[in-house]
Amino acid sequence: MKKLLALLLPLLFLTARGSAQTTVPQIRYQSVPDFLKLPPDLYFGEVAGVAVNSKQHFFVLSRGNTTGPAYAASAAQLLEFDPEGKFLREIGHNLYAWSYAHSVKVDSQDNIWVADKGSDMVIKFTPEGRVAMVFGRKQEASDEETAPLKHPKPPLPPEDGMFRQVTDMAWDSAGNTYISDGYINSRIAKVDKNGNWIKSWGEPGAGPGQFRTPHSIAVDAEDHVYVADRGNRRIQVFDGDGKFLRQITIDVPFDANARPAMGSKPQLPLTGAQTMAPGAPWAICITPPPRQVLYTSDGYPGRIYKLTLDGKVLGVLGESGKQLKQFGWIHEIACPSENVLFVGELLNWRVQKLLLEPGP
């Protein structure tokens, strides 16, 4: 009976969520051992972000160089590596915005952008590593009311230009920046290339255009905005003005005996937040044109999915674990080409370089 339930559980879960895509190929891949080479006295913490620029330099945003008490510590460090994985420099050492690292991206001009969930700020660095623009504002250390952000219900209304636990950013062809904001405000903000606030859209909820932790964001060559609505277990797609276009859900059979990277196995189907549900998007990345595909990852069972931009799953790879080719909560994916991925993992404190065999 237990074996029968193990086989039926994924199908019951998928039936509860919608139609399953039953024929999904496994993607063959390799992980490059010891790809990034840190100096002897430098260490990663939880790797929250990884990004690649036009020169194939790698930027790793880690919850390393941690200082302060166990709670309310500062935990963010931005490191740059050359194409061979050799350490080059630290960017923004002891920066005022560093609090709790969440994501790093590189735009088309090789500017480096960081979202810091703890300080509620987004920072734009020049390619040389100097601060070019800042968005949002850190809580004042002198204010006696300064404390972790509250989660009142109903939530407080968001303010233009301010964020509450911001998560990620992406850009369209005109240089507008889209910022996912985030764990509390549950919206998308849009600013122009000069840093002027244009608009925002979204609110907490599960309907079209509503979010439960917009956790990662990407823009395709047609300037469509893809939002990893992690807590609702879906990717929502919008035009540049915030008009809802469609949603993508990932329903791929999985082994009900799959081990989680940490904690108890989720009891499926989940009620409430779907963060640990199979197919819930933690990270999304879209490859460069002309052929664009979308990669996303989940926390359980710990896989990476390759999709067309209209949501068809082309293949799947990986599982939870601590060895090479296994993953511990992939938090960000960089995809400079269709068959080369860089994944930053929270639980394993590392970046893996994955080489995928060509497929569909």
Side-chain angles (χ1 to χ4, degrees), residues 5-15 17 20-22 24 26 233 250-260 265-270 276-279 298 300-303 305 316 318-319:
L5 288 174
L7 291 172
L8 290 177
L9 182 58
L11 298 178
L12 292 171
F13 173 74
L14 293 169
T15 300
R17 300 297 308 187
Q21 188 175 325
T22 57
V24 177
Q26 292 285 326
R233 192 184 167 270
I250 298 172
D251 295 311
V252 175
F254 66 98
D255 181 0
N257 294 313
R259 293 174 297 180
K265 187 186 303 181
Q267 298 300 305
L268 305 174
L270 296 175
M276 295 308 296
D298 60 17
Y300 177 82
R303 302 193 294 188
Y305 305 87
V316 62
E319 63 180 359

Side-chain angles (χ1 to χ4, degrees), residues 42 70 84 95 116 128 140 190 199 217 227 253 262 283 286 330 336:
L42 192 62
E84 284 70 46
L95 191 75
D116 191 292
E128 294 73 34
E140 295 184 17
K190 180 179 180 179
K199 67 183 300 182
I217 190 167
V227 181
M262 176 177 283
I286 297 175
I330 295 173

Side-chain angles (χ1 to χ4, degrees), residues 274-357:
Q274 301 291 304
T275 299
M276 295 308 296
W282 283 49
I284 56 175
C285 183
I286 297 175
T287 59
R291 171 184 157 95
Q292 292 194 288
V293 295
L294 184 149
Y295 285 98
T296 185
S297 61
D298 60 17
Y300 177 82
R303 302 193 294 188
I304 297 174
Y305 305 87
K306 178 182 179 181
L307 295 86
T308 64
L309 296 188
D310 61 4
K312 179 183 178 182
V313 181
L314 299 174
V316 62
L317 61 104
E319 63 180 359
S320 294
K322 300 185 182 302
Q323 303 303 311
L324 289 181
K325 302 177 65 176
Q326 297 178 326
F327 308 117
W329 292 0
I330 295 173
H331 200 259
E332 189 164 24
I333 301 172
C335 52
S337 68
E338 184 172 342
N339 296 311
V340 179
L341 304 181
F342 300 88
V343 298
E345 302 172 58
L346 293 187
L347 298 184
N348 290 328
W349 296 12
R350 68 183 178 188
V351 175
Q352 288 193 69
K353 179 180 181 179
L354 306 180
L355 304 178
L356 281 59
E357 291 189 7

